[in-house]
Amino acid sequence: MGADTKEELIRSWRFKMDVKIAPSILSADFGRLNEDIKTIEPYADLLHVDVMDGNFVPNITIGPCVVRKIKTKLPIDVHLMISEPLKYGPEFAKAGASMISFHGELFESDKDGLVHAVEEIKKLNVKVGVVLNPDKRLEIIKPVLDKVDFVLLMSVYAGFGGQKFIPEVLEKIKDLRKIFSGDIQVDGGINDKTAELVVKAGANVLVAGTYIFDSKDRKKAIESLKR
Ligand code: DX5
Ligand code: ZN
C-alpha cells in the first residue's frame, strides 16, 4: 500500500531525495575563480552563481561574460537578483547556465506576468526556479508551482553573502513541502547547524557561500552539510 493523500505522497518522495550542495561563488576569490571552483567541484552537486544588478538589490556582481569563462563540470545554477530577468535570462543560458531562477516578488501583483516569465525562461532549455525573499509569502508563487522545476527560499535578504540565517524561513519550507514535490533550495546563512534544520523542514538543495569558501577544509565543510 502506498501513500494516499497528496501530502503523504510528497512526504514519501522527500525521504528519497538526496541532499544536494550548491556552493555559492559569491564567496570565492573572483581573481582566481576557476582555481577556486576546482577545490569544491569533486564534492559539490551544483555551482550557484549570484547575479546582482544594483537595482533589484543594492549590490552588483557579475554578468554573462564571466559565466561564459567558468570552467566546470557542475551544472551552473544562476540566481538572478535583477529587475529584468526576461531581458537577461537568454544571455545567461547562452553563457552556460543549466538552471535559472528569478525573484517571484517582481510579479507580486501580476500573476499572468509571473506565469509568462516562467514559460519564457523554460523556453531557454534550462531548469527554471522562482525565488522569494524572507518576507515574501508563498501565495505569490503558488500559480507557478506546477510549472517550475525548483523553488529557492531565501533565508537572508538577497544581496550579500555572510548574513545570519533567518529562522522564520523554516515554517515556510515546511508549508511549501506540503504542496510542492520538486527541489526546494535554501540560500543564506547555511552552515552545519542550519543545514540540519532546513533539511528537516523539507529542503533538499543547500546553497552555501561563506561556510564553504571560508573553511580551511572545503571538502569537509561540504560533507558536514550533507550529513
Ligand atoms: C545572497 C546570495 C547567496 C549568498 C549566500 O544574496 O543569494 O547565494 O552567496 O552566502 P552565505 O552562504 O555566505 O550566506
Ligand atoms: Zn544565491
Side-chain angles (χ1 to χ4, degrees), residues 24 26 48-52 77-81 101 103 131 152 154 158 185 187-188 207:
S24 165
L26 190 59
H48 187 84
V49 176
D50 287 309
V51 175
M52 307 185 192
D77 167 32
V78 170
H79 172 193
L80 295 178
M81 284 162 272
S101 60
H103 278 253
V131 192
L152 167 49
M154 295 302 299
Q185 295 192 347
D187 184 4
V207 177

Side-chain angles (χ1 to χ4, degrees), residues 176-219:
L176 178 61
R177 186 45 91 199
K178 286 180 198 151
I179 55 170
F180 182 66
S181 59
D183 287 335
I184 300 181
Q185 295 192 347
V186 182
D187 184 4
I190 296 295
N191 56 38
D192 53 345
K193 289 172 192 72
T194 55
E196 193 181 341
L197 302 176
V198 300
V199 170
K200 272 196 184 143
N204 67 307
V205 184
L206 309 181
V207 177
T210 315
Y211 181 70
I212 294 174
F213 283 99
D214 283 7
S215 149
K216 279 197 190 91
D217 189 336
R218 294 174 179 173
K219 175 177 185 246

